[in-house]
């Protein structure tokens, strides 16, 4: 779209006086003419967010196959098809298609994030054109239009206000500010943060109170929400650590398979003088043996089981790889409101002329007590406190009700906090209101910053004043002290207010005055003559479970028993004020309680400087969407795996960029949810700690599955190699060399052990030390040096047992088919015993829990027993796989071998544990 050069959309409209804004936009209070509006619409384009180009569904589906391991599997499928093993070929093809479908569906969900932001825009707007009020489609708004706003409206564009009457706007979706913002028409500093631009109403925010008029300054993509949408479309998502590890593993595996197959092929021809045809089939058998066909299926199932476990702990996973990524997170960047806090304002301190009281409890539930000097208060001894609470009840429009075991607020959050505090003192709202009926009221005004009511209290008329301390106190001449009125001590109240405010609490004062026979409240009735009862300290406090969760992650102990350091750094990034953020952070054990970096300070730092300071600062306040995105990128540049939590559209770009984006399920916007990888059903930070634990468990189980599957492939591959190197096999009458185990038999072993045995490891519970160890390095290889050793060690044992039994059967004068059957069952039973070893990578399995403690393991062995006995004894299976029935004596030897393998691996574990101490 082409913008008119005479109107600058780059101007900082919040700092421009209203008259100047009107002149720049070439408009007035009567709005634009219809013709001018039409001309500008043609020039600026509609007030909507642009659609971004997207890949077609076919392209997106085909791209799911762009993975080295998938290529290897597809080659394996083709090879098995050439061998006319159609069932095995279709199974492998099926695995790749299922994985592609999962990726395709998840990618499609992610693209909805832009759509959800577009849906936040207002559908209609009330404008003044040619001096007449009319309702138009919000898409037809242009810069210079005069818009009328009232309570309940969604702001249709970015608007510079020129008239405002008690206007309050909920901007939490844009700024993270936990309470509605009072607006006015006065210009503010040019470098003011988004939450402090009180002269502006921003597109997509909600008017909660009052009325206003303003002139449209920017539309479409140039609005604040448009800029966020543009940022979101440009944010690149990062490949998860697991997928990077799988890619490296796939490349390594491909190279090893090709090299071994080639060397085996040429060795057989040049050294053993076998035919090229036989060696080609041997090379194919080696490739089929080495490829872990069941691994992608096991990975998908293990991740899916992790998804189910997390769902039971209120963490809903939207992207399968995010399950494992949570386990490798090194830093959690958390929004404050609703995640670390309950997003429910709570009275925590009450200052009267006599005492400073502490109020326990959080949220709108009336559970809590009043304390003075750490002792519970007897309300009969503190009449001023009770008068103050009763007055806060009466000068109040909020209502709190219990529904389905939850206390819900109807009204303003700060007023709800006062109602809850009074209820904690045993006061009943309906009874108090009935005994002290309201005669008249003066509603809260953003200009006056107070509310007043006229009530009949104890048969006398009383005016109750509630509002900002500075506005209330300037109308007070006295204060209540020990039940009597004495002259107002401003120094005392200023010091008391500073002490409460230093804890991050908002202040609200309450005062009263006798009203004689007054019948209504006018401006002149609230000018002076009041007696100050006291000041409330109100805050959105941290969740208790969030404090414990933060301690669990960062090791800042709540108690010795509860503290389990997971080595994760928690950072608070909020749109709220620095003082409030620091207060909450201190209670949570985040940071040092003194250092916070504000958005304004952040803007003055280069990307390089930000990368240097970000790891050492844990509290960021007054941040914008751009700030959050820069912080995530800066941390990732230092090789951190970052989880980002948020609930507003302002969080969406950072959520998308983070390694794991975590959105709020109850109070989060759809934009945040669609940009995220995980949604918290309970909006609770503690659920993130639970999810991290599950993520680490999932990774452990994946490693166990890999540690179990690879020796199967290694043993089979070594069996093929050793057979050719040592000339072990059978040469038939036609001169064709037959391996001890054929490719179809190899595929059978791969699939049954993966589908039955390896699957059991996906259900393994968390190990005891899972949250006691630091996060693993993002650069860690999926197959470590230790893992390679274990795979090699077990593979050598398996191939020794299988070849030994094979040669023993042949030496007894029995057939090749019987010898192959014995070798296959030796490999499979060896894997059964090794399954018990694999339940613990380093710890001993030689105990009751290790052997009998997993029902899935025992069930999988039972399933495998049925499959393997069918493979050995059923005539159709004997025909397909060329097997013969084994004698009882062979089974005894096979089980003795399995027991030996189990004890050898346990001995290896014990030696490893000893070397690590």
């Amino acid at each position: 779209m082409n913008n008119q050069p005479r109107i600058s959309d780059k101007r900082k409209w919040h700092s421009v006086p209203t008259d100047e804004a009107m002149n720049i936009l070439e408009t007035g209070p009567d709005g634009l003419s219809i013709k001018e509006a039409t001309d500008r619409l043609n020039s600026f384009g509609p007030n909507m967010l642009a659609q971004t180009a997207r890949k077609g569904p076919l392209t997106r589906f085909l791209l799911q196959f762009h993975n080295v391991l998938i290529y290897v599997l597809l080659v394996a499928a083709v090879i098995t098809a050439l061998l006319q093993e159609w069932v095995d070929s279709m199974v492998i093809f099926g695995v790749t298609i299922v994985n592609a479908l999962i990726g395709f569906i998840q990618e499609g969900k992610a693209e909805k994030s832009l759509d959800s932001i577009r849906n936040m825009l207002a559908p209609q707007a009330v404008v003044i054109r040619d001096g007449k009020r009319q309702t138009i489609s919000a898409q037809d708004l242009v810069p210079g239009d005069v818009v009328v706003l009232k309570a309940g409206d969604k702001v249709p564009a970015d608007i510079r206000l020129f008239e405002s009457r008690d206007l309050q706007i909920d901007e939490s979706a844009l700024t993270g500010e936990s309470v509605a913002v009072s607006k006015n028409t006065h210009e503010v500093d040019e470098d003011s943060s988004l939450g402090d631009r009180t002269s502006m109403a921003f597109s997509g925010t909600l008017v909660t109170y009052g009325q206003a008029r303003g002139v449209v300054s920017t539309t479409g993509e140039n609005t604040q929400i448009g800029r966020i949408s543009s940022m979101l479309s440009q944010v690149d998502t990062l490949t998860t650590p697991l997928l990077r590890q799988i890619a490296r593993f796939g490349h390594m595996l491909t190279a090893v398979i090709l090299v071994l197959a080639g060397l085996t092929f040429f060795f057989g021809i040049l050294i053993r003088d076998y035919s090229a045809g036989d060696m080609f089939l041997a090379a194919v058998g080696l490739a089929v043996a080495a490829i872990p066909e069941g691994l992608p299926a096991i990975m998908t199932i293990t991740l899916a089981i992790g998804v189910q476990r997390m769902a039971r702990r209120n963490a809903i996973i939207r992207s399968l790889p995010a399950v494992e990524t949570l386990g490798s997170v090194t830093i959690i960047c958390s929004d404050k409101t609703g995640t670390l806090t309950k997003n429910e304002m709570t009275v925590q301190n009450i200052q009267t002329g006599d005492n400073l009281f502490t109020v326990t409890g959080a949220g709108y539930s009336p559970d809590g007590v009043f304390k003075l000097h750490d002792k519970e208060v007897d309300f009969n001894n503190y009449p001023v406190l009770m008068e103050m609470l009763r007055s806060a009840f009466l000068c109040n429009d909020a209502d709190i009700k219990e529904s389905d075991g939850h206390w819900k607020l109807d009204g303003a959050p700060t007023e709800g906090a006062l109602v809850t505090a009074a209820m904690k003192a045993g006061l009943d709202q309906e009874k108090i209101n009935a005994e002290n009926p309201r005669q008249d009221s003066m509603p809260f005004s953003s200009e006056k910053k107070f509310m007043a009511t006229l009530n009949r209290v104890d048969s006398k008329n009383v005016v109750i004043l509630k509002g900002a301390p500075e506005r209330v106190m300037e109308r007070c001449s006295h204060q209540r002290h020990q039940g009597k009125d004495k002259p107002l001590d401003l120094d005392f109240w200023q010091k008391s207010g500073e002490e409460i405010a230093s804890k991050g609490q908002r202040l609200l004062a309450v005062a009263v005055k006798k009203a004689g026979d007054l019948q209504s409240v006018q401006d002149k009735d609230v000018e002076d003559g009041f007696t100050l009862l006291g000041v409330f300290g109100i805050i959105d406090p941290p969740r208790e479970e969030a404090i414990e969760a933060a301690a669990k992650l960062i090791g800042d102990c709540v108690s010795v028993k509860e503290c389990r350091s997971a080595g994760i750094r928690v950072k608070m990034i909020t749109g709220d004020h620095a003082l409030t953020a620091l207060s909450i952070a201190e209670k949570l054990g985040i940071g040092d309680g003194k250092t916070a970096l504000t958005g304004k300070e952040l803007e003055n730092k280069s990307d390089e400087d930000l990368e240097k300071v970000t790891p050492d600062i844990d509290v960021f306040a007054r941040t914008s969407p751009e700030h959050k995105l820069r912080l995530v990128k800066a941390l990732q540049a230092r090789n951190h795996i970052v989880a980002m939590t948020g609930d507003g559209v302002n969080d969406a770009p950072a959520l998308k960029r983070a390694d794991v984006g975590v959105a709020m399920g109850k109070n989060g916007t759809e934009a945040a949810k669609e940009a995220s990888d995980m949604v918290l059903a309970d909006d609770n930070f503690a659920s993130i700690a639970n999810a991290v634990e599950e993520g680490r468990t999932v990774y452990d189980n994946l490693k166990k599955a890999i540690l179990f599957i690879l020796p199967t492939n290694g043993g089979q591959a070594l069996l093929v190699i050793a057979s050719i190197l040592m000339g072990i096999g059978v040469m038939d009458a036609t001169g064709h060399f037959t391996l001890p185990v054929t490719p179809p038999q190899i595929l059978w072993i791969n699939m049954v052990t993966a589908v039955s045995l390896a699957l059991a490891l996906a259900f393994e519970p968390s190990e005891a030390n899972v949250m006691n160890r630091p996060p693993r390095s993002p650069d860690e290889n999926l197959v470590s040096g230790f893992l390679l050793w274990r795979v090699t060690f077990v593979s050598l044992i398996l191939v020794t047992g299988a070849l030994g039994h094979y040669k023993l059967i042949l030496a007894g004068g029995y057939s090749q088919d019987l010898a192959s059957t014995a070798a296959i069952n030796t490999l499979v039973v060896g894997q059964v015993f090794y399954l018990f070893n694999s339940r613990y990578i380093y710890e001993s399995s030689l105990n009751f829990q290790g052997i009998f403690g997993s029902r899935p393991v025992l069930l999988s062995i039972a399933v495998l027993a049925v499959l393997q006995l069918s493979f050995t004894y059923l005539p159709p299976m004997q025909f397909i796989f060329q097997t013969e029935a084994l004698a009882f004596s062979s089974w005894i030897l096979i089980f003795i071998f399995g027991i030996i393998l189990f004890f050898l691996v346990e001995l290896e574990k014990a030696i490893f544990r000893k070397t690590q101490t």
Side-chain angles (χ1 to χ4, degrees):
M1 70 182 67
N2 296 318
N3 289 352
Q4 295 182 6
R6 58 183 175 173
I7 299 175
S8 171
D9 53 44
K10 302 297 183 184
R11 189 177 296 272
K12 295 186 177 181
W13 294 100
H14 54 276
S15 63
V16 178
T18 55
D19 291 342
E20 185 180 339
M22 290 282 196
N23 290 333
I24 295 170
L25 293 163
E26 299 181 12
T27 188
D30 291 334
L32 301 171
S33 67
I34 293 175
K35 181 181 182 304
E36 176 66 15
T38 302
D39 291 342
R40 292 192 184 189
L41 184 63
N42 292 332
S43 177
F44 282 92
N47 176 36
M48 59 187 294
L49 303 184
Q51 297 280 347
T52 55
R54 297 182 180 180
K55 302 183 187 77
L58 180 61
T59 303
R60 285 198 293 117
F61 179 72
L62 292 176
L63 284 173
Q64 306 305 319
F65 294 92
H66 185 51
N67 180 287
V68 173
L69 192 56
I70 298 297
Y71 294 153
V72 174
L73 284 171
L74 290 173
V75 170
V78 171
I79 292 171
T80 52
L82 292 173
L83 293 169
Q84 297 186 350
E85 297 297 329
W86 305 114
V87 174
D88 299 305
S89 180
M90 292 306 295
V91 167
I92 302 171
F93 270 125
V95 167
T96 60
I97 290 172
V98 167
N99 279 284
L101 284 172
I102 291 171
F104 176 77
I105 292 168
Q106 294 299 334
E107 188 175 314
K109 286 182 178 179
E111 286 193 348
K112 292 181 181 177
S113 56
L114 291 176
D115 294 333
S116 60
I117 292 182
R118 294 187 189 95
N119 293 336
M120 291 186 66
L121 301 182
Q124 293 183 318
V126 177
V127 300
I128 297 175
R129 287 182 177 173
D130 285 334
K132 297 178 182 178
R133 181 182 298 212
Q134 54 185 283
T135 301
I136 65 170
S137 170
Q139 293 186 10
D140 295 334
L141 281 176
V142 295
D145 261 326
V146 172
V147 176
V148 179
L149 298 174
K150 65 180 186 306
D153 286 348
K154 189 175 282 187
V155 180
D158 283 5
I159 296 170
R160 176 63 170 91
L161 302 171
F162 63 82
E163 287 182 13
S164 175
R165 182 177 179 183
D166 306 332
L167 184 68
Q168 295 182 36
I169 297 180
D170 179 0
E171 295 182 341
S172 58
L174 276 181
T175 65
E177 180 73 49
S178 52
V179 296
V181 180
S182 296
K183 297 289 185 176
N184 55 56
T185 62
H186 308 301
E187 64 269 22
V188 295
D189 291 340
E190 187 173 301
D191 57 354
S192 297
S193 63
L194 195 64
D196 294 325
R197 298 175 188 177
T198 52
S199 59
M200 296 290 298
F202 297 110
S203 179
T205 59
L206 183 67
V207 178
T208 59
Y209 193 82
Q211 299 174 343
R213 292 190 183 195
V215 58
V216 174
S217 57
T218 47
T219 59
E221 293 183 31
N222 295 319
T223 61
Q224 289 295 326
I225 198 170
R227 291 173 59 245
I228 294 172
S229 176
S230 178
M231 286 169 54
L232 186 60
S233 65
Q234 296 169 14
V235 170
D236 294 323
T237 53
L238 301 182
T239 306
T240 67
L242 178 63
L243 294 181
R244 292 199 296 268
Q245 290 171 329
I246 290 171
R248 288 197 296 266
F249 173 68
H251 283 95
M252 180 187 72
L253 184 62
T254 302
V256 170
I257 290 172
L258 293 176
V259 169
L260 287 178
L263 290 175
T264 303
F265 176 80
F266 289 110
F267 182 88
I269 294 174
L270 300 175
I271 306 299
R272 290 293 176 188
D273 200 26
Y274 296 144
S275 69
D278 289 340
M279 286 303 94
F280 176 76
L281 288 175
V284 168
L286 174 59
V288 170
I291 295 170
E293 291 89 352
L295 184 57
I298 293 300
M299 286 179 54
T300 301
I301 293 168
T302 304
L303 293 173
I305 291 169
V307 167
Q308 293 175 355
R309 284 178 170 176
M310 289 183 182
R312 289 194 290 269
R313 302 180 78 172
N314 296 311
I316 311 301
I317 299 296
R318 299 182 66 255
S319 173
L320 272 183
V323 178
E324 176 277 330
T325 309
L326 279 161
S328 58
V329 163
T330 58
I331 288 180
I332 298 175
C333 298
S334 180
D335 188 21
K336 175 184 72 68
T337 306
T339 311
L340 297 172
T341 65
K342 297 188 70 172
N343 198 19
E344 296 178 353
M345 302 302 288
T346 304
V347 172
Q348 286 201 327
N349 287 112
I350 299 177
Q351 177 71 64
T352 65
D354 309 315
N355 300 292
L356 175 63
F357 298 93
T358 301
V359 187
T360 65
Y364 300 127
S365 171
D367 297 322
V369 297
F370 286 69
K371 290 185 177 182
L372 182 63
H373 308 307
D374 293 327
K375 293 183 179 180
E376 195 167 333
V377 167
D378 181 352
F379 294 105
N380 294 322
N381 298 329
Y382 300 99
V384 177
L385 173 63
M386 294 305 292
E387 183 184 3
M388 184 177 173
L389 291 170
R390 182 184 64 180
S391 299
F393 240 161
L394 296 173
C395 188
N396 201 311
D397 291 327
D399 188 25
I400 292 178
K401 299 283 187 183
E402 186 178 16
S403 175
D404 299 326
H406 299 283
W407 291 87
K408 296 182 179 179
L409 166 68
D410 180 12
T414 50
E415 292 199 325
L418 301 182
V419 172
T420 303
M423 292 170 69
K424 289 176 182 177
L427 299 180
D428 182 276
Q429 190 172 19
E430 290 186 7
K431 183 179 179 182
I432 294 292
N433 285 329
E435 292 175 349
N436 307 276
R438 183 183 295 186
Q439 309 295 313
D440 192 23
S441 66
M442 180 180 291
F444 176 85
S445 162
S446 57
E447 298 293 333
K448 299 184 180 72
K449 293 188 178 180
F450 63 75
M451 172 186 179
T453 61
L454 175 64
N455 292 78
R456 188 76 175 167
V457 180
D458 298 331
S459 301
K460 297 177 182 178
N461 287 345
V462 174
V463 176
I464 304 172
L465 191 68
K466 179 195 70 187
E470 66 275 12
R471 295 299 177 89
V472 172
M473 289 181 193
E474 68 186 16
R475 289 163 170 77
C476 294
S477 56
H478 292 76
Q479 65 187 52
R480 196 85 81 217
H481 180 70
Q482 296 181 351
K484 298 180 181 179
D485 291 355
K486 76 169 195 175
L488 185 70
D489 185 350
L490 280 175
D491 289 339
F492 166 79
W493 290 107
Q494 185 173 351
K495 291 178 182 178
S496 300
E498 288 175 353
E499 181 182 349
I500 296 174
S502 68
K503 303 174 185 178
Q505 299 176 28
R506 301 170 186 269
L507 304 179
L508 200 66
V510 177
V512 297
K513 87 169 183 177
K514 297 177 181 178
D517 57 357
L518 197 67
Q519 300 299 311
S520 63
V521 181
Q522 307 296 327
D523 286 343
K524 60 183 177 62
D525 301 317
V526 293
E527 289 180 353
D528 53 29
F530 282 88
T531 298
L532 183 66
L533 297 180
V535 173
F536 291 96
I538 304 172
I539 198 171
D540 182 12
R543 297 172 181 260
E544 291 298 324
E545 58 269 40
I547 296 175
E548 295 174 13
K552 180 179 183 181
L553 292 169
I554 63 181
D556 206 353
C557 300
V558 176
S559 69
V560 174
K561 291 182 180 179
E562 292 174 348
C563 177
R564 296 182 294 164
S565 174
I568 297 173
R569 194 142 183 180
V570 180
K571 296 181 182 292
M572 180 192 293
I573 304 177
T574 179
D576 222 329
H577 292 279
L579 198 61
T580 305
L582 281 170
S583 174
I584 298 296
E586 185 177 15
K587 293 175 182 177
L588 288 162
I590 297 174
D592 59 7
K594 300 176 182 178
T595 308
L597 190 68
T598 64
K600 189 180 295 186
E601 294 169 328
L602 194 151
E603 283 181 355
N604 295 327
K605 294 186 181 297
S606 66
D607 290 343
E608 292 75 17
D609 291 338
L610 196 61
E611 288 175 17
K612 293 177 183 177
V613 302
T614 300
D616 299 322
I617 297 176
D618 294 329
V619 180
F620 301 88
R622 264 335 199 198
T623 54
S624 70
E626 292 92 340
H627 299 152
K628 294 183 179 183
L629 183 58
R630 284 189 67 200
L631 287 170
V632 170
K633 288 182 177 179
L635 291 167
Q636 289 172 333
R638 297 296 291 266
N639 209 29
H640 285 289
I641 303 298
V642 181
M644 173 77 195
T645 77
D647 55 2
V649 64
N650 61 318
D651 300 313
L655 289 173
K656 183 179 177 183
R657 171 70 189 196
D659 297 279
V660 183
V662 183
M664 304 301 109
K666 291 169 67 176
N667 298 316
T669 61
E670 287 303 310
K673 293 175 189 176
E674 294 296 344
S676 68
D677 302 294
M678 182 175 86
V679 178
L680 298 183
D682 57 354
D683 290 11
N684 193 341
F685 184 81
S687 295
I688 301 176
N690 295 335
V692 168
E693 184 175 350
E694 290 293 348
R696 292 187 175 188
T697 301
V698 165
Y699 186 74
D700 282 352
N701 290 348
L702 282 173
K703 283 183 68 175
K704 291 173 185 177
I706 292 169
L707 198 62
F708 174 78
I709 289 173
L710 291 187
T712 303
N713 299 103
Q716 293 168 157
L718 284 177
L719 186 64
V720 174
I721 294 170
S723 299
I724 295 172
L725 291 178
M726 301 168 64
I728 300 174
V730 174
M731 189 77 72
D732 62 20
T734 62
H736 290 296
F737 179 77
T738 304
L739 290 169
V741 182
T742 64
Q745 292 169 340
I746 289 170
L747 275 173
W748 167 265
I749 301 171
N750 284 354
M751 296 312 295
V752 297
T753 55
V755 170
S756 58
L757 299 183
L759 182 59
L761 295 172
F763 295 90
E764 285 295 294
S766 302
E767 294 191 10
N769 68 338
V770 70
M771 292 298 281
N772 288 338
R773 57 187 189 235
R776 71 177 192 278
S777 169
D779 297 325
E780 177 184 304
N781 288 319
L782 193 63
V783 182
S784 62
F786 170 79
L787 206 63
L788 282 174
W789 154 250
R790 174 70 64 80
V791 169
T792 304
F793 178 63
V794 177
S795 296
L796 287 171
I797 299 174
L798 287 171
V799 74
T800 301
L803 278 180
H805 206 165
Y806 175 81
K807 290 199 58 111
L808 183 65
I809 296 291
L810 287 181
Y814 296 100
S815 69
Q816 155 77 10
D817 289 348
L818 185 64
S820 294
T821 305
I824 292 166
N825 280 292
T826 301
L827 284 172
V828 171
V829 172
Q831 284 291 98
V832 169
F833 280 89
Y834 180 54
L835 179 64
F836 293 109
N837 298 121
S838 301
R839 290 196 61 213
Y840 306 106
I841 297 175
Y842 305 111
E843 300 302 316
S844 174
S845 298
L846 192 58
N847 51 61
F848 183 86
Q849 180 65 26
I851 296 173
F852 298 105
S854 171
R855 184 179 296 176
V857 165
L858 298 178
L859 182 61
S860 70
I861 293 172
V863 171
L864 178 69
V866 173
L867 292 171
Q868 205 58 31
L869 289 173
S870 301
F871 173 83
T872 305
Y873 293 103
L874 287 182
M877 299 291 280
Q878 290 176 338
F879 174 76
I880 294 171
F881 291 102
Q882 298 178 320
T883 59
E884 290 185 11
L886 289 178
F888 183 72
S889 58
S890 291
W891 285 111
I892 293 175
L893 290 176
I894 289 171
F895 275 92
I896 290 174
F897 166 73
I899 293 170
I900 292 172
L901 184 148
F902 174 80
F903 279 102
L904 285 175
V905 176
E906 287 302 308
L907 179 62
E908 179 254 7
K909 283 187 189 179
I911 294 171
F912 177 82
R913 289 195 301 272
K914 189 173 183 180
T915 60
Q916 298 301 305
T917 57

